[in-house]
Amino acid sequence: MKQQVKDLFASALERLVADGLLPGDGLLDVQVERTRDQRHGDFSSNAAMVLAKQARTKPRDLAARLVESLPPSPLIERVEIAGPGFVNIFLAPAAYRARVPKILVTGPAYGRSDVGAGKRVQVEFVSANPTGPLHVGHGRGAAYGAVVADLLAAVGFRVHREYYVNDAGRQMDILATSVWLRYLELCGEDLPFPSNGYRGDYVWDIAASLHQEHGDDYRYAGDQVCAGLPPDEPAGGDKEIHIDAVIARARRLLGDDRYRLVFDRGLKHILDDIRDDLSRFGVDYDEWFSERSLTERGAIERAIERLRAAGHLYERDGALWFRSSAFGDQKDRVVVRDNGQTTYFTSDIAYHLDKLERGFERVVDIWGADHHGYVPRVKAALAALGDDPDRLDVLLVQFAILYRGGERAQMSTRSGEFVTLRQLRKEVGRDAARFFYIMRRCEQHLDFDLDLAKSQSADNPVYYVQYAHARICSVLRQAAERGMAVDPSPGEVNLEQLTAAHEQALLKVLSRYPEVVEAAALALEPHQLAHYLRELANDFHTYYNAHQFLVEDEGLRDARIKLILAVRQVLRNGLDLIGVSAPESM
RNA sequence: GCCCUCGUAGCUCAGCAGGAUAGAGCGAUCGCCUCCUAAGCGAUAGGUCACAGGUUCGAAUCCUGUCGAGGGCACCA
């Protein structure tokens, strides 16, 4: 609808250019906005004020010429010039009424568009280390990423959802070693557990399955495992040095193949768990991309070579550095350590290079806000390799803080007592979790009120929106019970009876839906959609309280039912996009 | 110390590619079911848009600085 109005302005401006009133360049960005105030009409353009200088005219005079040049359209009832030079558009009531059949015909596709023009976009999100179950912090990234991906798909992008599996790092070695130590305990060995190891129950589970399947095959005597290790922290040592030594010991005793087996068992177990968890949360991926595969395919070597060839690497203190500071980073970064190992950052360069090489025109990364320091260096790497860093959008999602009974719910990581995403789902349900996670802008800290998320009241925005949907279904059931025919055909007869203020308001909100979806998608901001749905539900509830739908007058009844059918369709479409169910009854 | 994000009603937040009198929800106060689900609706009160400058027809929105909150500054991942 907005686009149609925009098009009218664009052709008006073209005429003014043809008349020589305006220069032909720089006019492409016509600004047409929904008005905030009814009295200013439905749409408003500031074009005359913006262009007055170029036209060497007063804004109001230019506005007048602009209005004269607007092509006639059945969409528009009248146009007026207001204030310093705003052109205000009042739409014809018929234009709004026509929305109802449009929505009923388009159905689930109402709100979808093709502004993305089939461009390929990759959305990478969650990508938590597979060292344990997902916690509530990951949940926000999961919900946010899933909705961003769905929004982009809804406006015509070809979306590829991807999870980057950090299956190659030191944290994974710590996990593998933790599993092995627990396994040894199950075998009856008595050993101390490193303070830096993973202590969650899931580690015991993995160890138990290992033990069940392989018996004592991986068993070594406790003193053989512990002999000569540097002391752990409680014994006055360094926990990092200690755990590294334990890892090295595990590798030596088990040998590469058997160590890998333990390692992969832990990896697979946890990854399966994460995949299952996310899937139950309505979050599914097209690809689980293995970091290890980058090494195996030589992608990391290739990335280093490309940087070297481009002259952006140098050696210092025995390490190989990338001159990222030349591309906007704070300081240069190490790419190959003095011990010959590459860094996490090196993998990241290779990974992002790989993304662009796979032909994605745009890449969206969704990271925890604690990783924000990495944005400049990854962009620096892309720039250094001649790629456009603006093809990469990084969304930084702030942490979610849980509240229960007005108190901050505690969560600590290593101890294994953290609140997992699974626990949260169990407690508040998938719908509430999804909705709460995306109702705030990602840069905002999220106060997640567990009591509110569970409450079945109007205070709870999830129930509020869902209730509107259920109410409409209920009205239709009532109609059936009373033997009133419901005609879902999209005809326009009777619709001119929708003259009440509440009906006008609803029609207007319904007409805005595609614009909201587009704006939310392009800005990568799911919360816009959540806010819209609340507003639509509110307008419906107000209407419900003010008017009876199942009235005696058949024409009026038909019109009202068609209207609420349209409302129901838009509620469904919107809820579906944010991954929340639309219940028939509550 | 340097960098990033944030600062809008008592609370939680929208609004920020500049636009007309700054909006919601919660909480507070007062109302609304003989009626399709009251898991609902209406009304009232509530603001120096952190502060100070600047840019211009116009600034909550853009720029600079100050203050405050959070986060990041590894040859960890």
Side-chain angles (χ1 to χ4, degrees):
Chain A
M1 193 164 238
K2 181 175 171 180
Q3 191 56 48
Q4 291 169 288
V5 177
K6 239 176 171 169
D7 291 344
L8 293 175
F9 269 90
S11 64
L13 285 171
E14 271 169 37
R15 273 184 65 179
L16 293 185
V17 171
D19 293 351
L21 193 66
L22 285 170
D25 49 338
L27 297 179
L28 295 171
D29 193 26
V30 191
Q31 287 191 52
V32 174
E33 298 299 329
R34 291 269 181 181
T35 57
R36 218 177 302 180
D37 191 327
Q38 288 264 24
R39 283 168 295 179
H40 299 140
D42 298 297
F43 289 92
S44 161
S45 176
N46 62 359
M49 287 178 289
V50 175
L51 298 171
K53 227 170 222 170
Q54 290 183 56
R56 297 166 199 275
T57 359
K58 290 180 193 156
R60 285 191 70 107
D61 294 347
L62 182 60
R65 294 293 302 271
L66 194 56
V67 170
E68 286 166 24
S69 306
L70 278 173
S73 163
L75 209 59
I76 294 178
E77 185 174 70
R78 66 192 168 91
V79 181
E80 67 180 29
I81 298 165
F86 289 104
V87 177
N88 293 336
I89 310 288
F90 294 78
L91 292 187
Y96 278 129
R97 287 201 298 270
R99 277 286 128 167
V100 172
K102 162 108 177 154
I103 293 166
L104 297 180
V105 167
T106 326
Y110 181 67
R112 305 185 91 84
S113 67
D114 60 354
V115 287
K119 286 196 189 124
R120 296 183 61 208
V121 185
Q122 189 218 34
V123 182
E124 182 219 322
F125 58 112
V126 186
S127 300
N129 279 344
T131 52
L134 298 176
H135 58 72
V136 290
H138 300 124
R140 188 172 184 195
Y144 205 92
V147 179
V148 163
D150 285 353
L151 279 168
L152 287 170
V155 299
F157 288 94
R158 280 154 67 203
V159 179
H160 187 81
R161 299 159 179 84
E162 189 158 310
Y163 188 117
Y164 181 57
V165 183
N166 294 111
D167 53 7
R170 174 166 171 268
Q171 293 303 320
M172 285 306 297
D173 282 318
I174 296 177
L175 176 81
T177 303
S178 300
V179 168
W180 184 55
L181 292 174
R182 291 308 193 197
Y183 159 87
L184 291 175
E185 286 184 59
L186 289 174
C187 292
E189 298 296 335
D190 185 27
L191 340 115
F193 195 79
S195 56
N196 216 14
Y198 286 99
R199 297 174 169 273
D201 289 340
Y202 60 93
V203 178
W204 284 110
D205 296 343
I206 303 167
S209 77
L210 188 68
H211 186 246
Q212 196 173 21
E213 206 168 312
H214 295 278
D216 284 357
D217 292 358
Y218 297 79
R219 180 171 183 175
Y220 289 84
D223 38 352
Q224 213 182 343
V225 174
C226 299
L229 290 176
D232 198 359
E233 193 166 83
D238 182 316
K239 61 180 178 180
E240 303 294 347
I241 292 174
H242 175 75
I243 193 95
D244 281 338
V246 180
I247 293 168
R249 179 65 49 88
R251 276 213 159 101
R252 190 164 61 76
L253 289 173
L254 290 169
D256 282 348
D257 289 349
R258 290 195 306 160
Y259 177 79
R260 174 102 288 164
L261 223 140
V262 174
F263 184 105
D264 283 346
R265 187 167 197 108
L267 172 66
K268 182 179 183 308
H269 182 99
I270 291 175
L271 217 48
D272 284 348
D273 176 72
I274 288 175
R275 194 180 285 119
D276 170 76
D277 197 11
L278 286 173
S279 188
R280 288 170 197 271
F281 196 40
V283 177
D284 294 289
Y285 288 89
D286 298 301
E287 185 165 352
W288 296 71
F289 190 98
S290 153
E291 178 186 359
R292 213 195 287 165
S293 75
L294 286 172
T295 317
E296 287 162 0
R297 287 188 291 121
I300 293 181
E301 277 309 305
R302 273 209 312 283
I304 294 172
E305 279 320 306
R306 278 190 60 182
L307 283 171
R308 195 198 307 276
H312 301 309
L313 298 185
Y314 64 91
E315 276 185 51
R316 195 178 76 201
D317 305 333
L320 193 60
W321 296 70
F322 164 43
R323 206 183 313 277
S324 56
S325 62
F327 300 93
D329 195 6
Q330 290 278 104
K331 61 186 286 271
D332 293 346
R333 309 290 171 178
V334 169
V335 173
V336 182
R337 292 196 262 161
D338 57 6
N339 65 7
Q341 291 182 341
T342 56
T343 64
Y344 173 83
F345 177 47
T346 320
S347 297
D348 246 359
I349 297 172
Y351 181 40
H352 283 85
L353 213 53
D354 181 86
K355 292 187 185 195
L356 296 184
E357 280 170 357
R358 275 188 273 162
F360 296 113
E361 291 168 76
R362 215 173 141 194
V363 169
V364 178
D365 283 3
I366 295 174
W367 297 350
D370 53 333
H371 285 71
H372 79 250
Y374 283 80
V375 179
R377 74 184 75 164
V378 172
K379 292 205 172 215
L382 295 180
L385 293 171
D387 274 309
D388 178 5
D390 288 338
R391 284 168 69 189
L392 169 67
D393 278 310
V394 182
L395 299 184
L396 299 168
V397 179
Q398 292 283 351
F399 295 117
I401 304 161
L402 299 182
Y403 289 85
R404 177 180 276 123
E407 297 283 312
R408 232 177 128 133
Q410 210 52 51
M411 47 178 196
S412 55
T413 39
R414 256 330 136 75
S415 67
E417 296 169 32
F418 50 76
V419 182
T420 62
L421 174 59
R422 188 170 270 123
Q423 287 166 341
L424 178 75
R425 269 201 350 260
K426 212 173 248 176
E427 182 166 345
V428 309
R430 170 177 154 177
D431 288 342
R434 290 282 301 238
F435 197 97
F436 272 63
Y437 271 138
I438 60 110
M439 72 183 176
R440 299 275 175 260
R441 246 169 63 219
C442 65
E443 308 92 70
Q444 283 282 357
H445 295 267
L446 174 69
D447 286 335
F448 196 122
D449 186 334
L450 292 166
D451 303 316
L452 178 62
K454 280 185 293 187
S455 82
Q456 305 202 347
S457 75
D459 307 356
N460 185 340
V462 190
Y463 282 93
Y464 185 83
V465 175
Q466 289 181 318
Y467 182 44
H469 183 271
R471 255 187 165 172
I472 295 169
C473 294
S474 173
V475 170
L476 297 172
R477 281 192 297 269
Q478 275 292 323
E481 273 175 33
R482 298 187 202 172
M484 293 169 163
V486 170
D487 174 18
S489 72
E492 258 181 273
V493 266
N494 299 325
L495 292 180
E496 66 276 6
Q497 298 196 48
L498 298 177
T499 52
H502 292 115
E503 290 160 347
Q504 297 293 313
L506 264 178
L507 288 168
K508 197 166 180 174
V509 180
L510 290 174
S511 78
R512 256 177 48 215
Y513 179 69
E515 292 157 31
V516 171
V517 172
E518 182 178 319
L522 296 181
L524 309 174
E525 291 184 345
H527 77 269
Q528 293 193 26
L529 183 52
H531 282 270
Y532 170 86
L533 288 172
R534 219 219 156 265
E535 194 184 335
L536 174 59
N538 182 20
D539 283 334
F540 169 74
H541 286 309
T542 305
Y543 181 40
Y544 181 95
N545 274 275
H547 296 279
Q548 281 280 311
F549 308 145
L550 303 179
V551 291
E552 286 305 313
D553 179 333
E554 263 182 60
L556 184 60
R557 187 171 75 223
D558 176 59
R560 289 185 169 166
I561 286 179
K562 283 198 166 84
L563 176 59
I564 65 171
L565 279 170
V567 171
R568 183 174 73 165
Q569 185 67 58
V570 173
L571 285 170
R572 271 183 190 169
N573 293 0
L575 286 170
D576 185 54
L577 270 177
I578 59 176
V580 174
S581 69
E584 306 262 319
S585 67
M586 292 172 72

